[in-house]
Amino acid sequence: MDEVRPRLEAFAVEMLGSLARRDQRAKGELYVRGLMLDGKRKSIQPMAERLGVDHQQLQQFISSSTWDYVEVRGCPVGGRAHRSGGVCDRQHRFPQGRYDSPGVARMYCGALGKRGNCQIGVSVNLVSDHALAVVNWRLFIPHSWDDGTAEDDRLLA
């Protein structure tokens, strides 16, 4: 991490430049650094433990700090990746044990290797030989979640 830290800090400065307060930018950089550290779980508590900080700093930045995620997503960092690369979209399927989480439907899930309850996240990414920038993402909501339809989305079968 020490080797890439200056580049990561420069990335965070550029990406979080739209945040109004210095403390927000500092906590945002800390959060980005936590995402980059080794470790399977990227939730607040394990990231804070790996960073050696109180988890409330990260929790407050994510849940109650006032900043506009649209401005952060629109930062020029993604544009830099796009100039030398291309655009790709991805589907990410997340197995879910419960059926009542938003967007969960019974469908094929590669992580399970079979049909099961899962959610689908869809992302648009700018890619180059040296970088990948997620520029937008959404949770896919299948037709089965629409009260006006009775059948599952045929595209997901």
Side-chain angles (χ1 to χ4, degrees):
M1 180 54 94
D2 291 336
E3 187 177 315
V4 298
R5 188 169 184 161
R7 288 177 45 207
L8 181 60
E9 287 174 350
F11 170 81
V13 165
E14 191 172 352
M15 181 180 74
L16 301 170
S18 66
L19 300 183
R21 296 190 346 245
R22 184 177 35 180
D23 65 315
Q24 288 177 317
R25 292 187 298 273
K27 290 196 174 66
E29 187 272 331
L30 192 63
Y31 182 76
V32 170
R33 196 165 12 116
L35 291 172
M36 300 300 289
L37 291 174
D38 288 337
K40 285 186 173 187
R41 295 192 57 224
K42 301 296 181 179
S43 54
I44 299 292
Q45 190 81 26
M47 284 185 352
E49 288 173 11
R50 289 190 289 273
L51 289 164
V53 300
D54 182 12
H55 77 281
Q56 290 181 345
Q57 293 179 46
L58 299 177
Q59 185 66 45
Q60 182 181 14
F61 173 73
I62 294 300
S63 64
S64 58
S65 184
T66 56
W67 54 278
D68 185 1
Y69 71 91
V70 174
E71 284 188 43
V72 173
R73 283 186 188 175
C75 77
V77 173
R80 192 171 55 229
H82 180 62
R83 284 193 291 277
S84 61
V87 178
C88 72
D89 63 337
R90 299 224 21 208
Q91 279 190 10
H92 310 273
R93 295 183 183 226
F94 309 103
Q96 296 293 327
R98 299 178 56 128
Y99 199 68
D100 57 352
S101 295
V104 172
R106 189 155 183 80
M107 62 188 92
Y108 180 79
C109 181
L112 297 171
K114 61 181 182 179
R115 285 179 61 87
N117 293 339
C118 70
Q119 291 170 306
I120 298 178
V122 180
S123 65
V124 175
N125 310 283
L126 298 175
V127 294
S128 73
D129 291 340
H130 306 288
L132 179 136
V134 178
V135 294
N136 210 344
W137 58 87
R138 295 283 185 267
L139 179 64
F140 178 82
I141 305 296
H143 286 299
S144 60
W145 274 75
D146 183 352
D147 291 339
T149 63
E151 59 188 56
D152 268 343
D153 191 302
R154 287 185 283 276
L155 296 173
L156 302 177

